[in-house]
Amino acid sequence: MIIQSLLGVVLLHLWQCGASSIMTKDLKVLVSSNDFPESALKILQEHFTVLQCKYLNFDEEGRTLAREELLNLIPGCSALVWSSNLPISKELLDKAGPQLKQVSTVSAGYNHCNPDELKARGIKLTNTPNVLAPAVAEIAVGLMLGAARRFTENLDQVRRGQWEIGFDKVLGQDLRGSTVGIIGLGGIGQAVVKRLVGFEVARFIYTGHREKPEGKALGAEFVNLDTLLSQSDFILLSAPLTDETRHMINETTLAKMKKNAILVNVGRGDLVEQEALYNALKNKQIYAAGLDVTTPEPLPKDHKLLTLPNLFVLPHIGSATVRTRREMAELAANNVVNGLTGKPLITPVQLK
């Protein structure tokens, strides 16, 4: 009798699991781009009916071919996995219909996801904030070294076959003994501090809305923005883009920096007013800059910033490692699984 009862419980559980699977298979999830990793796609396919755009949702292809296909595919979808740097349009959300419950962006930043519109429609938003911190931190350190050691000028020498030989030629600056100031001591900022310890940096300072216990644990000192700008040899931007932080680096704030200051941006392009940065670099008001993010992206090849020898630019590759992009996609997929099956979201964005 006991065995029969236990068997009945097991069979009921199996039936419920099967029924749950059938129920979630009725839900449609749209993946916005054709380059979404297979491992993450399988996570979604285990639970839902998955639609995937056959085009790359970036640049011109994303603005034309992918846009039209996404508008055709999204009606009736319950979730949208957004693998793109293009903005989510009101038109796309209108096409989706009222059953769209969640947008899962495969990125840490989410300003391109139209958060105000999502909030107004009651659509939940998730992102992938912490999983990419190590890879972006490595790029931040690379940009510091590239700008400080004048990689742009030195690579140009190699390409021209005309090396400036001499004991005092093309000298750079040291991370050793420097003061590194971090604007935005979140996961990326903290990961940068951990990686720079081995470079014998003399002092880490940071600014933000409040002092953080993580900063104290890392030996970083909390200061106001003016102090950070005036005392730092390296200034790292790893803050999110908001109305408050947009163009926070401008003519006024650049004027407060040291003449040997090196500015590094791995946040968002619009944290920096680029005309002011161009003038500061051209006039040697600051020493150099390293950018992984710009406005626009891609930066046109004839953009005047690219004429500057003291600017080192990368094409927004902060999270571009095989492991990191896979983990980002899998986190985005698991956020959708949780969101559509009534479980707590793993990395929800609090829409204000």
Side-chain angles (χ1 to χ4, degrees), residues 130 133 182-191 212 238:
N130 299 319
I182 298 172
I183 300 177
L185 193 71
I188 293 170
Q190 292 167 37
K212 293 189 172 186
S238 55

Side-chain angles (χ1 to χ4, degrees), residues 233-294:
D233 301 299
F234 293 84
I235 296 171
L236 172 68
L237 302 178
S238 55
L241 179 63
T242 64
D243 290 339
E244 180 186 4
T245 61
R246 187 179 302 275
H247 290 178
M248 67 183 307
I249 301 302
N250 51 48
E251 184 177 359
T252 301
T253 50
L254 284 161
K256 296 177 181 179
M257 297 180 190
K258 297 166 72 171
K259 194 174 179 63
N260 70 308
I262 294 169
L263 177 71
V264 170
N265 187 8
V266 294
R268 284 290 183 266
D270 275 338
L271 295 176
V272 178
E273 203 290 289
Q274 288 182 171
E275 183 69 22
L277 177 62
Y278 172 81
N279 292 330
L281 291 170
K282 185 178 181 182
N283 298 326
K284 295 184 170 52
Q285 183 181 333
I286 64 172
Y287 186 80
L291 308 177
D292 187 43
V293 288
T294 60

Side-chain angles (χ1 to χ4, degrees), residues 160-178:
R160 289 187 290 107
Q162 297 175 355
W163 296 18
E164 293 186 34
I165 308 295
F167 195 68
D168 63 349
K169 300 296 184 184
V170 202
L171 303 184
Q173 295 198 52
D174 291 288
L175 268 164
R176 180 184 55 169
S178 67

Side-chain angles (χ1 to χ4, degrees), residues 56 96 183 211 329:
L56 190 69
I183 300 177
E211 189 172 4

Side-chain angles (χ1 to χ4, degrees), residues 6-238:
L6 288 173
L7 183 60
V9 170
V10 170
L11 289 172
L12 177 62
H13 175 71
L14 291 173
W15 180 84
Q16 288 174 334
C17 289
S20 174
S21 176
I22 293 169
M23 288 173 62
T24 58
K25 281 288 186 180
D26 290 338
L27 301 178
K28 293 193 295 184
V29 174
L30 175 59
V31 176
S32 73
S33 189
N34 68 3
D35 58 352
F36 195 62
E38 188 67 26
S39 61
L41 206 59
K42 287 180 178 178
I43 292 171
L44 294 171
Q45 290 168 338
E46 286 175 10
H47 297 271
F48 314 112
T49 297
V50 178
L51 309 178
Q52 184 176 15
C53 180
K54 64 185 177 185
Y55 300 107
L56 190 69
N57 193 17
F58 286 83
D59 301 328
E60 193 57 36
E61 186 171 327
R63 282 186 284 269
T64 54
L65 298 173
R67 173 185 171 276
E68 289 304 314
E69 183 164 70
L70 289 169
L71 289 171
N72 290 330
L73 290 175
I74 201 168
C77 288
S78 297
L80 171 63
V81 178
W82 196 247
S83 177
S84 177
N85 61 355
L86 297 175
I88 293 178
S89 66
K90 186 175 181 295
E91 180 186 19
L92 186 66
L93 296 175
D94 287 341
K95 277 281 189 179
Q99 82 299 317
L100 185 67
K101 303 301 181 187
Q102 183 179 345
V103 170
S104 184
T105 182
V106 194
S107 61
Y110 52 85
N111 52 291
H112 62 299
C113 292
N114 208 342
D116 290 341
E117 192 66 31
L118 295 183
K119 182 180 179 182
R121 296 168 186 253
I123 299 171
K124 294 178 180 178
L125 175 64
T126 58
N127 65 341
T128 59
N130 299 319
V131 68
L132 51 70
V136 178
E138 291 170 5
I139 284 294
V141 174
L143 285 167
M144 289 179 180
L145 292 170
R149 300 300 296 270
R150 300 168 68 169
F151 276 17
T152 299
E153 294 167 82
N154 284 304
L155 286 170
D156 182 58
Q157 287 188 52
V158 173
R159 292 183 181 118
R160 289 187 290 107
Q162 297 175 355
W163 296 18
E164 293 186 34
I165 308 295
F167 195 68
D168 63 349
K169 300 296 184 184
V170 202
L171 303 184
Q173 295 198 52
D174 291 288
L175 268 164
R176 180 184 55 169
S178 67
T179 294
V180 175
I182 298 172
I183 300 177
L185 193 71
I188 293 170
Q190 292 167 37
V192 170
V193 173
K194 291 174 184 176
R195 282 153 179 76
L196 287 180
V197 168
F199 286 86
E200 301 176 24
V201 169
R203 183 183 179 213
F204 293 103
I205 58 179
Y206 72 98
T207 193
H209 288 127
R210 62 188 179 281
E211 189 172 4
K212 293 189 172 186
E214 296 90 345
K216 188 168 291 186
L218 290 168
E221 178 188 351
F222 181 69
V223 298
N224 62 39
L225 179 60
D226 283 352
T227 299
L228 184 143
L229 294 173
S230 64
Q231 295 186 7
S232 297
D233 301 299
F234 293 84
I235 296 171
L236 172 68
L237 302 178
S238 55

